[in-house]
Amino acid sequence: QEEIDAQRIGKSKKDEDPKKQQFAHSVENNGDMSLQISEYVDYLEEYKNILKGNVSFEDEVRGFQFSNMPERTFDPRRDYLYLLDMDLKRTLPESHNDFLKKFRLPKCLPGGDFCMMNSVNDLGRPFMGPNLYVTPPGSFTHFHQDGHGTVDSGHMCIDGYNEVIMLRRMSEDHKRQALHLLHYNDRRQKNIHYDALYGLPHHDGKKPLWPDHEAIKNCDELNYYPCVFILKPGQFLHINKGRLHAFRKAGRNPVDPKDCHSDIREECMANGTIKPG
């Protein structure tokens, strides 16, 4: 495979020394944790307190513990707990009703005029959202296609800034080729097994690196039309079925210069949109 990569992208094995990579890998663990919402809110408050105190990684901080996991201590500087797929209608009905009243594209919602299941009642169609996702900066949802490529979806950014990569619709062969290019920096990492087409983006285990500028350029040269941008609070993104996409919550620090979002994040920090610190 390395020889194929070298022919396609013009790289040699000498260039692929993983020790020289400046990107950080993220590892997802305990993906099925069940937490009380009140404790998760306390965790977020602890995270904000650490940010206000400008605590470095070398400083000692009070570890955070949950009542159902007393044996494990979480460091809010390193352990990001990502709240996933929270059923807004069932768990926060008042917020759900408020969202329905104020959302400006109601026809795009599940059961709306533009939904193919608008003639099926709520109990007869599968649950299709809206879901709530809450996370501190730094966590991500790696490349995937919603509903295994069978449904359109929408992404509404309520707070913070979401870094997004999205490709055009294409055949499965081209999707696998694009993923091959996007994960090129990880080719020597033998313990990464991630199925972006039919796997779950948040299963436990080591995840591929966030793509660099070269990976995006290689996809662009093959007409995969990679879109690299940032969603601001209040912005809504419509995602056509079958479009591979990835999200990352933007932090307040610069990323590696090779990171495909480095220029955009630096610009946002320079104009004060994202405050450094």
Side-chain angles (χ1 to χ4, degrees):
Q1 186 63 65
E2 292 175 355
E3 297 297 336
I4 296 176
D5 290 335
Q7 294 176 13
R8 179 184 297 114
I9 310 177
K11 287 283 186 177
S12 66
K13 294 183 180 180
K14 294 180 181 180
D15 297 327
E16 284 305 300
D17 184 359
K19 295 181 181 180
K20 296 182 180 179
Q21 293 182 4
Q22 301 180 30
F23 292 86
H25 268 293
S26 296
V27 180
E28 296 199 54
N29 294 315
N30 301 313
D32 295 327
M33 288 190 298
S34 179
L35 306 176
Q36 297 181 15
I37 296 299
S38 60
E39 288 191 316
Y40 185 76
V41 173
D42 292 340
Y43 156 79
L44 294 178
E45 290 297 327
E46 185 69 19
Y47 177 86
K48 289 192 292 185
N49 290 335
I50 288 179
L51 289 182
K52 292 178 182 178
N54 295 321
V55 179
S56 68
F57 279 98
E58 289 73 24
D59 297 332
E60 291 187 7
V61 298
R62 180 181 67 86
F64 196 89
Q65 291 180 314
F66 295 95
S67 59
N68 61 337
M69 292 180 292
E71 73 286 350
R72 181 172 180 189
T73 301
F74 293 88
D75 184 344
R77 299 167 303 176
R78 298 178 174 86
D79 299 318
Y80 303 140
L81 302 186
Y82 196 163
L83 180 64
L84 300 169
D85 293 320
M86 187 175 183
D87 185 344
L88 198 61
K89 184 177 182 179
R90 182 171 61 88
T91 56
L92 296 172
E94 292 187 11
S95 297
H96 177 258
N97 292 334
D98 183 69
F99 177 75
L100 295 181
K101 291 178 182 178
K102 298 180 179 180
F103 188 61
R104 297 184 178 181
L105 297 172
K107 295 182 179 181
C108 294
L109 292 173
D113 291 348
F114 296 158
C115 177
M116 294 183 65
M117 291 192 174
N118 56 17
S119 297
V120 182
N121 61 49
D122 289 345
L123 299 178
R125 64 172 179 262
F127 175 73
M128 302 171 67
N131 291 338
L132 179 67
Y133 296 78
V134 182
T135 175
S139 58
F140 63 89
T141 300
H142 224 294
F143 282 100
H144 65 288
Q145 49 181 358
D146 294 315
H148 301 321
T150 62
V151 296
D152 287 30
S153 62
H155 184 94
M156 178 80 182
C157 182
I158 298 176
D159 193 19
Y161 296 83
N162 293 348
E163 296 170 326
V164 187
I165 307 172
M166 187 165 65
L167 307 182
R168 69 172 176 86
R169 292 180 67 179
M170 48 192 170
S171 66
E172 185 163 321
D173 290 342
H174 284 295
K175 289 178 185 178
R176 295 193 182 278
Q177 171 69 3
L179 292 169
H180 180 85
L181 297 175
L182 292 168
H183 298 163
Y184 176 65
N185 283 330
D186 300 283
R187 204 71 71 237
R188 294 175 67 93
Q189 300 288 341
K190 304 301 182 182
N191 58 339
I192 294 181
H193 302 283
Y194 178 66
D195 182 7
L197 297 185
Y198 302 107
L200 298 176
H202 289 287
H203 70 274
D204 288 356
K206 200 172 186 179
K207 291 301 191 301
L209 296 170
W210 195 255
D212 58 10
H213 290 293
E214 185 175 4
I216 299 299
K217 178 182 177 182
N218 292 330
C219 286
D220 189 48
E221 289 176 349
L222 291 179
N223 295 325
Y224 295 154
Y225 298 102
C227 302
V228 180
F229 56 96
I230 290 182
L231 280 181
K232 300 188 297 183
Q235 290 187 327
F236 176 79
L237 173 66
H238 171 243
I239 305 172
N240 299 98
K241 62 176 69 68
R243 295 189 70 170
L244 288 168
H245 56 282
F247 292 97
R248 182 175 65 182
K249 182 62 71 173
R252 303 195 300 174
N253 296 310
V255 292
D256 187 279
K258 297 180 181 178
D259 188 290
C260 67
H261 274 95
S262 60
D263 296 340
I264 305 178
R265 187 183 294 196
E266 183 178 350
E267 180 181 347
C268 290
M269 294 176 63
N271 61 28
T273 302
I274 299 178
K275 297 181 180 180

